[in-house]
Amino acid sequence: YGNNTAIGFTALKALTDGQRNLAIGSEAGKALTTGDDNIILGYAGLALTEGDKNTIIGNYAGNALTTEAYSK
């Protein structure tokens, strides 16, 4: 995997397979293990473990999502 950017404590910590993901914020996308082209901005945003092409903005935003693609 490659071309991922994570800024913040444990941001994208679990990512094992994914490309072109951006996570900015403490714990942003920390549960995401596989996924491409996700944008996560905000504290503890996106609780998904798998997902592609999600745009998540705001603290705790996207935490109710299950495995989905193309969520905005």
Side-chain angles (χ1 to χ4, degrees), residues 3-72:
N3 298 317
N4 298 295
T5 302
I7 300 171
F9 179 71
T10 69
L12 294 180
K13 179 181 180 180
L15 190 67
T16 58
D17 184 22
Q19 297 184 66
R20 300 173 304 277
N21 294 292
L22 171 65
I24 299 175
S26 185
E27 300 183 20
K30 74 175 185 176
L32 188 67
T33 58
T34 59
D36 298 329
D37 305 307
N38 294 292
I39 299 170
I40 307 145
L41 306 174
Y43 175 78
L46 190 64
L48 289 177
T49 57
E50 301 174 7
D52 296 319
K53 297 175 178 63
N54 295 289
T55 302
I56 306 296
I57 300 173
N59 294 342
Y60 302 103
N63 283 346
L65 295 174
T66 58
T67 301
E68 296 286 337
Y70 309 107
S71 298
K72 294 184 180 167

